[in-house]
Each structure stands twice: as C-alpha cells, then as structure tokens.
C-alpha cells in the first residue's frame, strides 16, 4: 500500500490547444473525425468523404439503408446483445449499412456489424463476464495521494477485448468495409472537450498488428467510464512532433449517434428507404431510492441521473432527425417492468436474465417504439389513464 501511495502517473505531453484540429495518428491518416462543436454536420460529411475514399466499391442500390445505433449502459449491454441474437432467430434481422456504438455499445458493435456469424461472441461477452473480468480495485493510498487517475484497474477488460477482437474479426470487418458498409465508435477527447468518431472499418482495413492494437484501444477508450476507469492515452503527432491525447467513455459526449451518417448514405442511394434502429441499453426512468450520504453514492447517483437525462435527450434528437429526413424510426429499451436486481456492476445473474428477456421478446417480434413522445405514457397506469 505504501508503494502504491508513492507511485506517480506518467507525465503527459498534451497537444497544444491551438493545434487540436491538426492532430493525426502516426501512419494512419483519415481514420477519425474530431467533431467541430460549431458545425457537427460538416464534420459528419467530412467523415463520409473519408470513407468514400477508403472504399471505392459502391454497394449495389439497396431497397433499404439501415442504421443500428447501440447506446452505452454498462451491464445493460446484455439487453442489446440478447435482442440482436433473438432477432436472428426470428429470421428477419436486416443487414445494417451503418453501425455505431458508444461505451458498452462499442463492445457490441463489431459483432453486431458482422451479423449472425458473431452472435455467439455477443452472447459470450455478457454470459461469461463478471466484475473480475472487467476490473480490479486499486489500493486506497494510490487514490488518496493522487497517484491514480481512476478508482479501478481495467487490465482484465483489456484482456477480454483482446480475446474477442482478433485478427480474423478485423479481416471480416475490412471485407464489409470494402463493400461500403460502415462501423463507427465514439470516444470523448477530454483536452479538446470534443467527441471523436473513429472509422473502425478503415482501421481494420490497414491490416497490421498496430491497427489491431489501435482498434482495441479505441474500444477501451469508448468504455472508459470517467473516474471509475482509467482514461486512455493515444499517441498522436502534429507536424512531426509527438504528443498524447486523453480519451474517456464516449457516453460523456453522447449515448447514441448515427442518423446523420445514414442521411449521407441516402444521398448516394436516393431511391432507398432509410431505417434507424436504436438500442438503448437502459430503462427510460431510474427507480427512486434513498442515496447514502457518502461521496461514492452521491457521485454514482449524480452521474447516473445525468446519463439518463442525456440518453432521453439523444432519443428525441435522433427522432427529430429521422422525422426531418423521412427515416423510419425504431427504438428498443430495457422494459421498466424488468425487475431482476443488479447486485454488482457486472452481475452475471442480472446480465443473463436481461439477455434472455431481450432474446425472448425479439424472437416473437420485437415491439419497436415509433414515437418517443409517447414514452412518458407507456409504463405508468396513472399516465395511461391520463393519456386516455
């Protein structure tokens, strides 16, 4: 414990603030976009232009152009995994032309992008994992004396990602990328206070060990819950000079994204119908309960409340974009009547029950929500009477 208390963090060499827009990953240009907060749509268009350069083989004109956006939610990711596997069993799961993931959604996104061939991987990630497979607790002195940037050590999660995300998976992703399909993951760049969208198919297409390392590092960063998990540092360059960037959970910036990306694809396929499928790996409301008067309980509940509010806002934002551009909007979320108690952060009993709940609902035809304006009235007897 004494040694941990005397430990020091790695010295940083952060990118100068006036050079944030000129940063690139050494040897890997055009694999990401740092969103311009003043013109997000222009940033998305830039991302699609990069993607078109990467994949000259255009898709044949599809009848539908489908988006799958998977949100954050920690252990709630078991819901999305179960839904996708049940959708496969129902026999009508479409091919998604754009797949996006944030946090736990980033963990699911590569397998979801590759389709039913990787359903076993999706299931295993949530069926075979528990707290010990995600993190270990750090010594208290390292935290007290400021020698730590997080409460937990996520080396187990690194091993988990490296086990499931392999060279073979990247080769499969690269093949689909070459057809024009897209896989994106979001992280939050803390120095810039901006969201970064990574073109995971472009990274996979590089096909080197360094590309695999970067791919897995992006997944780690997207799931790096601030304070709880350590931030991820990326080595970057500006005009040949070496710096580092600090990235954390993409959920810090957004819980889900992707509608604008589908709109850009529809411009290439004007006769196609656009469909947006959003999997929100959380309930729409958090059950009230007494909060302990200690720093960890206050912090955890405050963050939970902020994330929940952000998630609902993102749902309405994505619905508004869908309405504006004529996309068919489809939303799935953890039902409020799912009552299995979560005993730990990644409780395997909870995750298995949630996976199976979503699996059964999807096998019988998932009841996608079409209008988020009706969300307030769905799970309350009082509100149903009021709606009448």
């Amino acid at each position: 414990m004494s040694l941990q208390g005397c430990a020091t963090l790695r010295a940083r060499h952060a990118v100068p603030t006036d050079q944030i827009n000129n940063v690139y990953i050494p040897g890997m240009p055009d694999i990401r976009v740092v969103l311009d907060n003043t013109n997000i749509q222009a940033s998305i268009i830039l991302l699609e232009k990069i993607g078109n350069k990467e994949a000259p083989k255009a898709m044949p004109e599809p009848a539908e152009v489908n988006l799958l956006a998977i949100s954050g939610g920690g252990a709630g990711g078991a819901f999305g995994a179960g839904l996708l596997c049940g959708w496969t069993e129902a026999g009508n799961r479409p091919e998604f032309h754009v797949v996006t993931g944030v946090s736990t959604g980033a963990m699911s996104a590569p397998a979801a992008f590759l389709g039913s061939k990787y359903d076993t991987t999706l299931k295993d990630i949530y069926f075979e994992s528990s707290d010990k497979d995600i993190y270990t607790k750090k010594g208290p002195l390292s935290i007290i004396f400021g020698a730590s940037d997080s409460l937990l050590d996520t080396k187990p999660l690194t091993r988990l990602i490296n086990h499931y995300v392999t060279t073979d998976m990247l080769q499969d992703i690269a093949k689909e990328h070459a057809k024009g399909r897209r896989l994106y993951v979001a992280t939050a760049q803390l120095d810039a206070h901006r969201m970064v969208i990574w073109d995971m198919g472009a990274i996979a297409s590089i096909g080197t060990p360094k590309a695999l390392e970067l791919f897995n590092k992006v997944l780690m960063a997207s799931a790096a819950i601030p304070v709880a998990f350590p931030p991820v540092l990326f080595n970057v360059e500006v005009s040949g000079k070496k710096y580092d960037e600090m990235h954390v959970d993409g959920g810090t910036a957004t819980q889900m994204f992707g509608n604008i990306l589908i709109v850009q694809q529809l411009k290439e396929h004007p006769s196609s119908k656009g469909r947006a499928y959003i999997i929100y790996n959380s309930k729409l409301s958090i059950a009230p309960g007494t909060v302990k008067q200690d720093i960890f309980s206050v912090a955890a509940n405050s963050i939970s409340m902020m994330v929940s509010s952000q998630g609902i806002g993102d749902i309405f934002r994505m619905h508004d974009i869908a309405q504006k551009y004529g996309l068919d909007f489809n939303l799935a979320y953890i039902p409020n009547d799912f009552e299995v108690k979560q005993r730990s952060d990644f409780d395997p009993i909870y995750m298995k029950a949630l996976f199976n709940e979503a699996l059964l609902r999807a096998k019988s035809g998932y009841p996608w929500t079409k209008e988020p304006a009706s969300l307030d009235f769905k799970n309350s007897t009082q509100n149903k009477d009021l709606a009448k």
Side-chain angles (χ1 to χ4, degrees):
M1 288 175 67
S2 296
L3 287 172
Q4 279 189 308
C6 296
T8 57
L9 292 169
R10 161 188 157 182
R12 291 203 57 208
H13 188 37
V15 179
T17 54
D18 62 346
Q19 295 294 322
I20 283 172
N21 293 326
N22 301 320
V23 171
Y24 58 91
I25 302 292
M28 299 184 191
D30 297 342
I31 58 164
R32 66 179 200 168
V33 164
V34 180
L35 291 192
D36 180 349
N37 293 334
T38 62
N39 195 340
I40 290 177
Q41 189 160 356
S43 301
I44 296 293
I45 292 171
L46 174 62
L47 186 65
E48 272 298 290
K49 285 181 178 178
I50 289 171
N52 288 336
K53 269 195 292 185
E54 291 279 345
K57 298 177 183 177
M59 291 184 298
E61 192 70 21
E64 296 178 355
V65 177
N66 299 308
L67 163 73
L68 175 66
I70 313 175
S71 82
F79 172 77
L83 191 156
L84 287 164
C85 291
W87 203 351
T88 297
E89 292 190 31
N92 59 352
R93 176 175 161 184
E95 180 177 78
F96 302 106
H97 300 85
V98 176
V99 175
T100 69
V102 176
S103 195
T104 193
M107 298 296 165
S108 303
F113 177 75
L114 292 172
S116 58
K117 175 183 175 182
Y118 279 86
D119 278 0
T120 300
T121 299
L122 266 178
K123 181 178 179 180
D124 287 350
I125 289 173
Y126 294 96
F127 254 62
E128 305 299 329
S129 302
S130 62
D131 290 356
K132 64 180 177 59
D133 300 299
I134 308 299
Y135 63 77
T136 56
K137 294 181 179 179
K138 292 185 176 180
L141 289 185
S142 66
I143 299 169
I144 293 170
F145 289 104
S148 178
D149 52 11
S150 65
L151 299 174
L152 305 170
D153 186 324
T154 51
K155 287 187 181 69
L157 179 58
T158 300
R159 290 192 291 269
L160 185 72
I161 292 173
N162 291 339
H163 173 72
Y164 286 111
V165 183
T166 63
T167 300
D168 288 344
M169 176 182 271
L170 256 64
Q171 288 174 349
D172 288 343
I173 291 171
K175 289 176 184 176
E176 296 306 310
H177 181 80
K179 298 175 184 177
R181 297 179 63 220
R182 293 289 175 264
L183 171 63
Y184 298 116
V185 164
T187 63
Q189 212 277 61
L190 282 187
D191 299 310
H193 284 211
R194 290 184 182 179
M195 176 176 162
V196 179
I197 299 179
W198 300 78
D199 187 336
M200 305 301 279
I203 297 173
S205 298
I206 295 170
T208 64
K210 283 190 175 180
L212 176 60
E213 179 184 351
L214 177 64
F215 191 102
N216 290 0
K217 198 171 185 179
V218 172
L219 296 184
M220 276 293 300
S222 188
I225 304 166
V227 182
F229 291 2
V232 175
L233 297 180
F234 288 87
N235 296 322
V236 296
E237 290 186 8
V238 177
S239 302
K241 294 183 180 180
K242 299 183 185 301
Y243 299 97
D244 61 57
E245 287 181 339
M246 180 180 285
H247 289 243
V248 296
D249 194 324
T252 306
T254 186
Q255 287 300 302
M256 63 211 82
F257 70 100
N259 273 13
I260 293 296
L261 291 161
I262 275 291
V263 169
Q264 291 306 120
Q265 287 228 356
L266 285 171
K267 289 179 180 178
E268 302 294 323
H269 306 288
S271 62
S272 302
K273 173 68 176 178
R275 298 187 187 279
Y277 295 94
I278 293 92
I279 298 178
Y280 183 50
N281 289 311
S282 298
K283 292 184 176 182
L284 292 173
S285 61
I286 301 172
T290 303
V291 178
K292 294 180 182 179
Q293 194 170 352
D294 62 64
I295 188 169
F296 295 109
S297 296
V298 171
N301 281 274
S302 298
I303 292 172
S304 179
M305 184 174 177
M306 286 189 291
V307 168
S308 178
S309 297
Q310 181 191 55
I312 298 300
D314 286 340
I315 289 170
F316 277 91
R317 172 180 54 81
M318 293 190 77
H319 180 260
D320 285 347
I321 295 172
Q323 291 288 94
K324 180 178 179 180
Y325 292 101
L327 305 178
D328 178 40
F329 179 85
N330 301 272
L331 171 69
Y333 54 91
I334 298 176
N336 282 356
D337 59 5
F338 179 74
E339 296 181 346
V340 177
K341 299 297 181 184
Q342 186 175 351
R343 296 177 178 83
S344 65
D345 294 326
F346 296 92
D347 175 7
I349 295 174
Y350 171 83
M351 290 193 292
K352 289 176 182 178
L354 186 55
F355 180 97
N356 287 328
E357 174 79 13
L359 179 81
L360 291 173
R361 287 175 180 249
K363 282 174 65 175
S364 59
Y366 192 84
W368 295 93
T369 296
K370 297 289 189 177
E371 293 288 340
S374 66
L375 295 180
D376 291 339
F377 300 100
K378 284 215 165 185
N379 296 293
S380 165
T381 301
Q382 181 181 359
N383 283 343
K384 284 178 182 177
D385 292 339
L386 194 62
K388 291 177 183 178

